[in-house]
Amino acid sequence: MRTFMTILAALSAVLSSPAMAWGALGHRTVGAIAMANVKPATRAAIRDLLRHQREIDTPQCRMGTIEDVATWPDCIKGERWRWAYTSSWHYHDQPVCGTFDLKANCRDGNCATAQIDRNLRLLTDRKLAPVLRLEALSFVVHLVGDVHQPLHIGENEDMGGNAVKADYGIAPGRNLHSVWDGVLAERAITSAHPPLIRVYSAQERANLATGKVEDWERESWQVSRDFLYPLAFGGKLPCGVKEPQKIVWSNEAIEQAIPVIDDRIERAGLRLADMLDEALG
């Protein structure tokens, strides 16, 4: 009976945990890449801020490490009464069957792009209380990851693929968004060679850590428009036609998507490292 209750408690914890955008592993990997590649002074500043995690008073959502920081904005979705106003910060919808417009779909600054800028200003301001800067750090780390997830930017009136049921190979019961957020990202990260979390060379950083937030968002939109949606829907953008209610993300599609996901996560981590160096170094 004791063993049964232990298993039941563990299962309950898993089922009640909030969903993670990019998947928890994706966000944690972006944060870890950044932490491995920031300057020593930046790393020390981050650790100083982490000492103030208790002041945020979210005991179910810890901020003891950069990996915790990276997933905290998703974890607090479990307390909607307190944090519901942050829900729209995690994406910035751009129609794959339309034009890219950074000013659209960001009412009152409630989108990922605007909130990266806002929280970066808060993080940089050393006159603010450390607890406020720690919260800002978490949103910067997390949202930089989000804007590199193609389905947090590109969409086709389907909530970034959430409205499209999808099988992952022979495994049923997901949707297009969760395939990219979860199992596909996990496979890409765990199979990467060399591993994604490492110290990158100066040349690698020069090649990958490019552009500004607008450029990163445009890249994600282009990946959605030119690669992800056509691959999901039979080789063509589903413009002007009704999307199928269900698709199968085939093994062939999985293999094609893995290097794309690895590239997005590497770029997110290294670009985040540069952003944190500028704010904290």
Side-chain angles (χ1 to χ4, degrees):
M1 176 61 72
R2 182 176 298 174
T3 301
F4 172 77
M5 293 303 293
T6 301
I7 294 173
L8 184 62
L11 180 61
S12 176
V14 170
L15 293 176
S16 63
S17 62
M20 298 291 184
W22 241 149
L25 182 59
H27 276 298
R28 293 174 76 87
T29 301
V30 170
I33 291 172
M35 195 69 164
N37 287 277
V38 294
K39 297 174 182 178
T42 304
R43 193 174 298 114
I46 290 171
R47 287 171 176 160
D48 285 342
L49 290 176
L50 294 178
R51 296 190 178 99
H52 296 270
Q53 68 159 316
R54 289 187 178 180
E55 297 168 39
I56 290 183
D57 195 21
T58 54
Q60 301 302 317
C61 302
R62 295 180 52 79
M63 298 178 84
T65 67
I66 193 66
E67 292 88 352
D68 293 340
V69 163
T71 56
W72 182 83
D74 274 339
C75 183
I76 59 173
K77 291 177 181 178
E79 291 187 344
R80 286 192 56 80
W81 62 271
R82 184 177 175 189
W83 301 101
Y85 68 92
T86 69
S87 296
S88 60
W89 295 4
H90 295 256
Y91 55 90
H92 190 174
D93 288 344
Q94 299 287 334
V96 293
C97 292
T99 57
F100 182 87
D101 183 357
L102 194 68
K103 296 180 180 179
N105 303 316
C106 190
R107 185 176 179 179
D108 298 327
N110 287 304
C111 70
T113 313
Q115 287 302 321
I116 289 174
D117 292 341
R118 173 181 171 272
N119 281 282
L120 188 62
R121 290 184 64 183
L122 296 173
L123 175 62
T124 306
D125 190 348
R126 288 168 171 77
K127 296 179 182 179
L128 294 177
V131 64
L132 297 179
R133 296 177 65 218
L134 174 59
E135 181 180 318
L137 169 68
S138 184
F139 278 111
V140 168
V141 172
H142 184 88
L143 297 179
V144 167
D146 274 346
V147 299
H148 283 81
Q149 209 281 46
L151 289 173
H152 279 251
I153 307 301
E155 68 99 38
N156 190 37
E157 298 183 0
D158 56 8
M159 299 185 293
N162 275 294
V164 182
K165 295 180 181 179
D167 292 347
Y168 178 73
I170 62 172
R174 294 179 171 85
N175 62 58
L176 178 58
H177 193 105
S178 69
V179 165
W180 268 72
D181 269 352
V183 287
L184 191 49
E186 290 167 7
R187 178 166 173 178
I189 293 166
T190 56
S191 64
H193 184 76
L196 302 186
I197 303 172
R198 56 188 168 87
V199 177
Y200 286 71
S201 70
Q203 186 59 56
E204 287 175 311
R205 294 186 69 160
N207 292 338
L208 296 171
T210 57
K212 302 297 182 181
V213 176
E214 178 179 354
D215 303 310
W216 310 342
E217 184 169 315
R218 186 184 295 272
E219 285 175 358
S220 287
W221 175 68
Q222 290 172 332
V223 170
S224 293
R225 182 196 63 186
D226 300 337
F227 175 77
L228 196 160
Y229 272 89
L231 189 59
F233 295 103
K236 296 181 180 180
L237 270 176
C239 298
V241 298
K242 187 176 181 179
E243 290 180 350
Q245 292 184 339
K246 183 177 179 180
I247 64 168
V248 175
W249 198 270
S250 67
N251 289 329
E252 180 182 1
I254 291 169
E255 293 299 327
Q256 291 182 56
I258 283 174
V260 176
I261 290 176
D262 283 342
D263 179 75
R264 298 309 291 157
I265 290 176
E266 285 184 313
R267 289 180 185 273
L270 293 176
R271 289 163 170 173
L272 175 61
D274 284 353
M275 181 176 280
L276 295 177
D277 277 340
E278 186 174 345
L280 298 172

